[in-house]
Amino acid sequence: MVVEHPWEGLPPGVADVLRPELPALADEIVAELSRGVPAYARPLEGPFGQALRTGVEEALGRFTTIVENPGVDLDAGREVYVNLGRGEMRAGRSLDALLAAYRLGARVAWRRLAAAGERAGLPPRTLYTLAEAIFAYIDELSADSIEGYAREQAAAAGALQRPRQRLAALLVQDPPPAPATVEATAANAGWRLPRSLSVLVVEADDSSEGADRLALRLGREALVAHLPPLNVAVVPAPVRRGELETAVRDRRAALGPEVSWQESAVSFARAREVLRLAGEGGIEDGGALLVAESHKLSLLLGADRRLARDVAESALAPLEAETELSRERLGSTLDAWLRHRGRTEAVAGALHVHPQTVRYRLARLRELFGSRLDDPDGRFELELALRARRIAG
């Protein structure tokens, strides 16, 4: 059975066998690392060599301590290895060299300590446990360094993300800031201002976690910020709509028109308005990404909802004398008839009714609206009124 801390199964006296070996073992490990790990193949005089030796000696001393006293606090001294991981990240290196050094050090330690154990007459079972303890201990050190690397990586990402979030908020600000302010913020964020872009808005909860996930899915080219109640992404052109649909997943989202970066606020405002109209039922979203360019008329009508309501009430006044059920049926039939250019079969299919039912309702609509159904301007006014009614609620 594999145990979490195999050193707890070693007799405390094993530490007395190991301790005399530590100085020579430290020298052997340092020499072996400089030969066996290419990244450490450099002169061992100066700060690098001193840091390497300190790390090896600290690891060996700590291992001997926990063998002698298994109840000792395991967290004591772990920051040394957390900081080694941080240092690799700060130096712009991967963790490969450090983890390779740990593995090589473990092999050297086992070879020398096993020989010392045999000379001291330790039984084979104790030597097996010692081997397991050494490699489990190295796994602990590796985990500490991985944690340190990840911490530093997250800190670096956060330090970069904050100016990028400020830039995203600045770009969609209305009224827009001075161009020089945007350019300076972009330089600070390390983001090249594109010639054109689009703004994506996504429904969000109260936390910024969704924005972090969206930023990860969209990649470094996009700027993402959590601007409650929305997550906002500034996406350089050309925009790949399929990738955006994948990134937003099951959230309702809208994409603004492509504009110059100086007009980012326009793209943001239109995307946000389309999202609002969809949320209120004024636009059918069908579960797909809403594209503002496909809903210009709805945006126009939604800009003045009182005017939209007045247009609808005036143009559709002949329906007011009907019962509520009749108004609903005649209104939906008129809408489908206008959309399908008077093709009875297509209207019947859209409404899921018999063509004869469509003819009956159309006859009633002709009684109510008369020649307006045959006049191009009249049909346009009616279609506009039906859209306005949906927008105005």
Side-chain angles (χ1 to χ4, degrees):
M1 182 180 70
V2 177
V3 296
E4 185 177 3
H5 299 141
W7 51 80
E8 295 175 355
L10 289 170
V14 172
D16 296 330
V17 177
L18 304 183
R19 193 168 284 110
E21 303 292 325
L22 299 189
L25 177 56
D27 290 339
E28 187 178 350
I29 289 176
V30 169
E32 206 55 57
L33 292 181
S34 66
R35 287 193 297 267
V37 181
Y40 293 174
R42 61 179 101 167
L44 297 180
E45 297 79 17
F48 170 75
Q50 184 58 46
L52 181 60
R53 176 170 290 279
T54 299
V56 170
E57 291 176 348
E58 174 70 21
L60 293 174
R62 185 166 171 249
F63 178 71
T64 306
T65 298
I66 65 175
V67 169
E68 188 173 36
N69 181 13
V72 73
D73 182 9
L74 293 177
D75 288 336
R78 70 184 294 269
E79 280 302 312
V80 171
Y81 309 101
V82 171
N83 288 334
L84 283 174
R86 286 184 182 274
E88 293 298 283
M89 173 61 196
R90 289 172 186 160
R93 295 188 291 265
S94 73
L95 270 178
D96 293 347
L98 181 60
L99 297 183
Y102 284 150
R103 291 191 296 271
L104 180 56
R107 291 201 302 271
V108 173
W110 163 237
R111 186 172 61 227
R112 189 176 190 96
L113 296 180
E118 286 181 342
R119 289 194 300 272
L122 295 179
R125 182 175 293 278
T126 299
L127 292 178
Y128 301 153
T129 304
L130 176 61
E132 187 179 358
I134 288 172
F135 289 101
Y137 176 66
I138 289 299
D139 285 344
E140 296 263 346
L141 301 191
S142 299
D144 291 340
S145 292
I146 290 170
E147 179 184 328
Y149 194 92
R151 280 190 202 172
E152 192 64 25
Q153 203 170 41
L160 177 63
Q161 193 63 16
R162 283 188 289 275
R164 288 168 65 91
Q165 290 170 349
R166 284 196 294 273
L167 177 59
L170 206 60
L171 282 167
V172 301
Q173 179 180 308
D174 188 23
T181 301
V182 177
E183 289 166 352
T185 306
N188 183 48
W191 197 73
R192 182 175 173 272
L193 288 165
R195 288 189 177 182
S196 60
L197 53 81
S198 294
V199 177
L200 174 75
V201 297
V202 186
E203 285 185 340
D205 52 27
D206 294 333
S207 72
S208 60
E209 292 181 3
D212 294 339
R213 288 193 296 271
L214 183 62
L216 187 63
R217 292 168 185 166
L218 292 178
R220 291 180 54 80
E221 289 186 358
L223 299 175
V224 179
H226 180 56
L227 303 179
L230 302 171
N231 289 327
V232 178
V234 178
V235 185
V239 174
R240 299 175 182 86
R241 197 176 300 175
E243 292 181 7
L244 297 187
E245 289 176 343
T246 300
V248 299
R249 302 285 172 84
D250 55 350
R251 294 279 182 177
R252 180 179 280 145
L255 181 67
E258 184 177 321
V259 295
S260 66
W261 66 261
Q262 293 91 337
E263 296 180 305
S264 301
V266 173
S267 185
F268 171 62
R270 291 186 186 173
R272 182 180 58 188
E273 179 65 5
V274 164
L275 198 64
R276 183 188 68 80
L277 290 172
E280 295 177 357
I283 292 176
E284 295 179 5
D285 60 10
L289 175 67
L290 294 160
V291 180
E293 287 292 273
S294 301
H295 298 283
K296 289 180 178 178
L297 184 56
S298 295
L299 286 170
L300 183 63
L301 294 169
D304 188 335
R305 299 186 72 185
R306 173 59 187 272
L307 178 59
R309 186 163 55 249
D310 290 346
V311 167
E313 289 178 355
S314 174
L316 301 175
L319 292 175
E320 288 305 308
E322 299 292 308
T323 65
E324 183 176 350
L325 179 59
S326 178
R327 280 200 305 272
E328 177 61 31
R329 288 175 173 173
L330 291 175
S332 61
T333 302
L334 177 60
D335 188 21
W337 184 80
L338 291 167
R339 287 174 181 270
H340 293 282
R341 300 179 181 274
R343 297 193 301 274
T344 302
E345 296 293 338
V347 175
L351 297 177
H352 306 291
V353 297
H354 194 277
Q356 187 58 38
T357 302
V358 173
R359 296 186 187 96
Y360 170 78
R361 292 180 186 176
L362 185 58
R364 179 58 182 155
L365 287 169
R366 288 194 176 279
E367 292 177 7
L368 294 172
F369 291 97
S371 62
R372 291 167 65 189
L373 296 185
D374 300 314
D375 177 58
D377 290 341
R379 289 197 299 270
F380 174 73
E381 182 186 17
L382 289 171
E383 187 170 1
L384 196 65
L386 289 165
R387 287 175 177 262
R389 186 175 67 171
R390 284 195 295 272
I391 299 291

